């Protein structure tokens, strides 16, 4: 095995084409056996369901090189089951969970030379996805689907890595109550593009979305859940009245890490925009974001500044970050079943 000649420590969160990807086709009511292929192109009907009515879902997880040289993934079973939930909500045939896990292993193994080395700060991002493939012109689900997995080495999602970012309270909404906010459908990201371009133009790294019904409660950002640390050092995790927050695997893991490794009290509750000025720390959490500290929230010109400031992560966020990434990189013992060894 010889690693690719990539400047691992300086890559951003972008797409680098790798050697092999996995493809399985759904036709006549069943999934075929699936193959690994070098072909990174997809040929589609001009009328494919995904092109006309955006019938697509995806997942995101990472492969890590551990301190002792293994290549592992983190709780991939939770991605497998969330993808089933997404498929059912989008009237798509779920890809069986064991096959999801097998496809991830196959693609990572076929691209081991692209798994960034331990300590480089980069990881291998894994993108499973599925879309409606055959021609659909009346509004209805497709009959044929393609499931694919590709991998790409990535660096930090936000420029500067662990440097605190500034986010804004968005004027747009992310998900209507009881809509598709709690699944990973491509359409949730399509409708966020105007909002994120607007936020970037204004100099903000991300949008914080409020609950769409009342615009009172904090929900999440375009690509990550949110965590806060209150004045007593407890972890506060926003809940949604309308089930429109994506159930982040990172956030669910942080909650367990906070309780069992760090002995923190965790409060999963409704959080209003009005109260966040009282919190000491804020962070965005997700596979891509890991835990990205937020130094400031801009609410229509009113700045909410956290005590942790704009220079570094607050102390509780740092402990959570170090413990979570320590588990992922193999120098802190993981809870049973969290680390899936591939190589
Ligand atoms: N929220 C949204 C909208 C996301 O796109 C993501 C990314 O997957 C997350 C939260 C974080 O979820 P996870 O920790 O499972 O990656
Ligand atoms: C992830 O964290 O895996 C995501 O899917 C977020 C995406 C916006 C890059």
């Amino acid at each position: 095995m010889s690693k690719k000649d990539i400047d691992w420590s300086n890559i951003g969160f972008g797409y680098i084409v790798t050697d092999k990807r996995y493809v399985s086709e759904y036709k006549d009511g069943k999934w075929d056996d699936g193959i690994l292929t070098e072909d990174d192109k997809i040929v589609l009907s001009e009328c494919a369901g995904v092109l006309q009515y955006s019938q697509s879902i995806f997942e995101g997880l990472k492969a890590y090189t551990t301190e002792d040289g293994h290549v592992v993934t983190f709780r991939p079973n939770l991605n497998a089951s969330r993808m089933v939930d997404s498929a059912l909500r989008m009237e798509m045939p779920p890809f069986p969970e064991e096959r999801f896990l097998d496809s991830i292993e196959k693609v990572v193994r076929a691209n081991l030379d692209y798994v960034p080395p331990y300590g480089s700060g980069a990881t291998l991002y894994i993108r499973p996805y599925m879309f409606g493939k055959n021609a659909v012109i009346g509004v209805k689900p497709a009959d044929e689907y393609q499931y694919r997995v590709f991998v790409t080495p990535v660096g930090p999602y936000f420029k500067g890595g662990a440097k605190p970012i500034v986010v804004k309270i968005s004027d747009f909404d992310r998900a209507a109550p009881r809509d598709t906010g709690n699944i990973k459908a491509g359409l949730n990201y399509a409708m966020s593009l105007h909002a994120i371009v607007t936020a970037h133009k204004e100099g903000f790294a991300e949008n914080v979305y409020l609950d769409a019904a009342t615009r009172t409660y904090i929900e999440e950002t375009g690509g990550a859940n949110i965590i806060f640390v209150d004045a007593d050092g407890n972890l506060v995790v926003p809940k949604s009245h309308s089930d429109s927050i994506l159930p982040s695997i990172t956030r669910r893991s942080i909650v367990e890490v906070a309780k069992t490794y760090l002995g923190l009290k965790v409060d999963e509750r409704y959080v209003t925009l009005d109260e966040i000025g009282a919190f000491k720390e804020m962070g965005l959490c997700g596979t891509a974001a890991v835990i990205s500290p937020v130094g400031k929230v801009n609410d229509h010109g009113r700045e909410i500044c956290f005590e942790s400031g704009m220079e570094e992560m607050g102390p509780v966020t740092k402990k959570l970050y170090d413990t979570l990434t320590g588990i992922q990189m193999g120098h802190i013992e993981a809870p049973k079943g969290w680390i899936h060894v591939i190589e």
Side-chain angles (χ1 to χ4, degrees):
M1 177 172 109
S2 79
K3 289 279 175 202
K4 296 287 167 184
D5 185 19
I6 292 174
D7 185 5
W8 304 106
S9 302
N10 288 307
I11 53 173
F13 196 89
Y15 173 68
I16 297 171
V17 65
T18 54
D19 292 343
K20 299 252 174 84
R21 65 276 306 129
Y22 180 90
V23 184
S24 179
E25 305 278 358
Y26 182 89
K27 200 173 173 179
D28 300 328
K30 56 180 191 307
W31 288 104
D32 72 7
D33 289 342
I35 52 160
L36 276 177
T37 173
E38 287 180 3
D39 190 357
D40 62 341
K41 301 288 184 292
I42 301 171
V43 178
L44 280 179
S45 160
E46 63 185 356
C47 197
V50 62
L51 298 180
Q52 301 310 318
Y53 303 123
S54 300
Q55 198 186 12
S56 78
I57 57 173
F58 70 99
E59 270 303 322
L61 65 162
K62 284 174 170 173
Y64 309 85
T65 305
T66 59
E67 198 168 13
D68 58 0
H70 288 293
V71 173
V72 305
T73 52
F74 182 71
R75 310 188 79 182
N77 54 311
L78 298 185
N79 296 94
S81 68
R82 190 170 63 188
M83 194 153 183
V84 169
D85 295 340
S86 299
L88 294 172
R89 177 65 175 80
M90 293 295 286
E91 290 296 335
M92 300 164 100
F95 196 67
E97 293 182 41
E98 338 66 74
R99 287 203 52 200
F100 177 100
L101 297 172
D102 179 58
S103 67
I104 301 293
E105 282 202 16
K106 284 197 166 93
V107 183
V108 173
R109 274 211 191 98
N111 294 287
L112 280 178
D113 296 348
Y114 291 92
V115 185
Y118 174 77
S120 64
T123 50
L124 189 75
Y125 187 69
I126 308 168
R127 173 55 63 89
Y129 62 113
M130 189 200 292
F131 53 88
K133 202 181 163 194
N134 63 298
V136 171
I137 193 71
V139 177
K140 67 179 178 99
D143 304 305
E144 294 172 15
Y145 293 86
Q146 192 172 101
Y147 166 85
R148 290 178 84 95
V149 185
F150 68 79
V151 293
T152 186
V154 294
Y157 190 65
F158 295 108
K159 259 202 229 108
K163 267 268 188 208
I165 54 174
V166 185
V167 297
K168 70 171 281 191
I169 301 296
S170 183
D171 288 322
F172 301 98
D173 294 319
R174 175 177 175 275
R178 297 166 298 280
D179 203 339
T180 54
N182 62 352
I183 60 157
K184 233 165 146 49
L187 59 89
N188 291 339
Y189 301 82
M191 46 61 60
S192 77
L193 296 176
H194 178 58
I196 193 67
V197 169
T198 305
H200 285 165
K201 272 189 202 148
E202 294 168 353
F204 303 110
E206 250 290 14
N207 283 298
V208 171
Y209 291 103
L210 303 175
D211 74 294
T214 70
R215 301 191 59 79
T216 307
Y217 297 94
I218 300 287
E219 292 233 310
E220 63 171 317
T221 67
N225 280 183
I226 298 175
I227 56 173
F228 295 103
V229 177
D230 73 12
D232 299 322
N234 304 319
L235 185 68
V236 178
V237 179
K239 269 196 346 191
S240 171
H241 279 288
S242 53
D243 199 19
S244 44
I245 296 179
L246 187 80
S248 157
I249 293 160
T250 314
R251 183 252 299 164
R252 286 181 271 163
S253 305
I254 288 169
V255 165
E256 290 190 52
V257 162
K259 287 180 187 163
T260 59
Y261 286 69
L262 303 178
L264 300 182
K265 202 170 146 262
V266 180
D267 208 0
E268 296 188 67
R269 64 171 173 85
Y270 307 115
V271 173
T272 63
L273 170 60
D274 286 348
E275 69 172 301
I276 67 172
F279 292 139
K280 295 260 191 255
E281 300 175 35
M282 173 175 173
L284 309 188
C285 64
T287 299
V290 194
I291 304 180
S292 301
V294 175
K296 250 191 247 179
V297 176
N298 190 300
D299 174 20
H300 301 90
R302 178 177 71 102
E303 287 198 328
I304 302 162
C305 302
F306 298 103
E307 198 178 277
S308 48
M310 288 304 299
E311 283 312 308
E312 50 192 38
M313 282 190 191
V316 177
T317 307
K318 175 95 171 74
K319 271 193 213 153
L320 288 166
Y321 179 91
D322 287 345
T323 313
L324 179 72
T325 55
I327 290 169
Q328 291 167 334
M329 303 293 175
H331 51 87
I332 295 178
E333 193 175 341
K336 199 164 174 296
W338 279 24
I339 297 298
H340 182 79
V341 179
I342 291 186
E343 192 66 28

